């Protein structure tokens, strides 16, 4: 009769940190399983592609063997051919990402807090957002030349609207009761921005940043493809000009790996900034 109460007391005295250890272990096991599943999926797709090319179902001229593509990637990396082009593309993408994200964040917060400005600028922003970006690329080439700034301007137009609209909706969706309570406690506009609006809109902002990373690189590569003297897009265009499909796919593979690495970095920053949220919301 005395054993059961003792066991209950022991369970009650377990610290929260100790109680969370099994949960963390299960989460780590789940993440490992997902990573293994992703690796198996990638190997399965590439293996099927290789097999279909070798038995003649897929024409290797249009879809070269993955083994040949990886050989070309290795040649580009081992000889150092790709690094000057990759550096140019990364410069363009980083500048486009930083300037586009900063402008989108500032204007998004401003228009969300000053509704008359939102109503004033909304039709013009919608019209500019509806413009096909490819149409702007030749104009930027005429304005800024073949250097990096025409690609930065092109990437800026892709990143800005994604971050702007997500920031605008994120700030507007903040609970009005929370805002009113903070005002009743004497919070200034600066304090509201720091302690209410920015934390509440971070999920929206990081969602847009995940998408913007890929679009910044896309803007740089498309700009290089249309007119440049260096960059991964330029290398892909040169390979296409001589019907080197392995080179075209090698450039695409390298860009995909770069975007994946950058996205992992954004994920780490997001988890750090949202560590105050429950795990199911911060992931």
């Amino acid at each position: 009769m005395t054993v059961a109460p003792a066991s209950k007391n022991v369970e009650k005295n377990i610290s929260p940190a100790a109680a969370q250890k099994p949960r963390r272990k299960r989460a780590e096991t789940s993440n490992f399983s997902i990573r293994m599943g992703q690796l198996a999926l990638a190997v399965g797709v590439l293996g099927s592609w290789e097999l279909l090319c070798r038995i003649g179902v897929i024409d290797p001229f249009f879809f070269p063997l993955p083994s040949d593509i990886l050989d070309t990637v290795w040649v580009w990396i081992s000889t150092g051919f790709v690094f000057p082009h990759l550096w140019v593309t990364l410069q363009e993408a980083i500048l486009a990402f930083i300037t586009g994200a900063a402008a989108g964040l500032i204007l998004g917060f401003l228009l969300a807090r000053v509704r008359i400005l939102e109503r004033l600028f909304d039709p013009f922003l919608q019209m500019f957002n509806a413009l096909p970006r490819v149409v702007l690329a030749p104009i930027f080439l005429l304005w800024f030349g073949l250097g990096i700034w025409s690609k930065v301007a092109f990437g800026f137009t892709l990143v800005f609207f994604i971050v702007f609209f997500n920031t605008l909706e994120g700030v507007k969706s903040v609970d009005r009761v929370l805002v009113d309570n903070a005002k009743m406690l004497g919070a200034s506009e600066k304090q509201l921005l720091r302690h209410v609006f920015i934390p509440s809109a971070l999920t929206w902002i990081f969602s847009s940043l995940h998408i913007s990373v890929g679009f910044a690189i896309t803007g740089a590569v498309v700009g290089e493809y249309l007119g440049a003297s260096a960059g991964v897009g330029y290398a892909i265009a040169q390979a296409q000009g001589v019907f080197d499909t392995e080179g075209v796919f090698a450039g695409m593979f390298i860009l995909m790996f770069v975007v994946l690495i950058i996205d992992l970095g954004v994920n780490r920053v997001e988890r750090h900034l949202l560590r105050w949220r429950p795990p199911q919301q911060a992931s």
Side-chain angles (χ1 to χ4, degrees), residues 229-253:
S229 57
V232 178
Y234 170 80
I236 292 174
Q238 293 298 306
Q240 182 189 21
V242 295
F243 300 102
D244 179 13
T245 52
E246 288 90 354
V248 173
F249 277 89
M252 293 166 57
F253 274 37

Side-chain angles (χ1 to χ4, degrees), residues 40 130 215:
F215 274 92

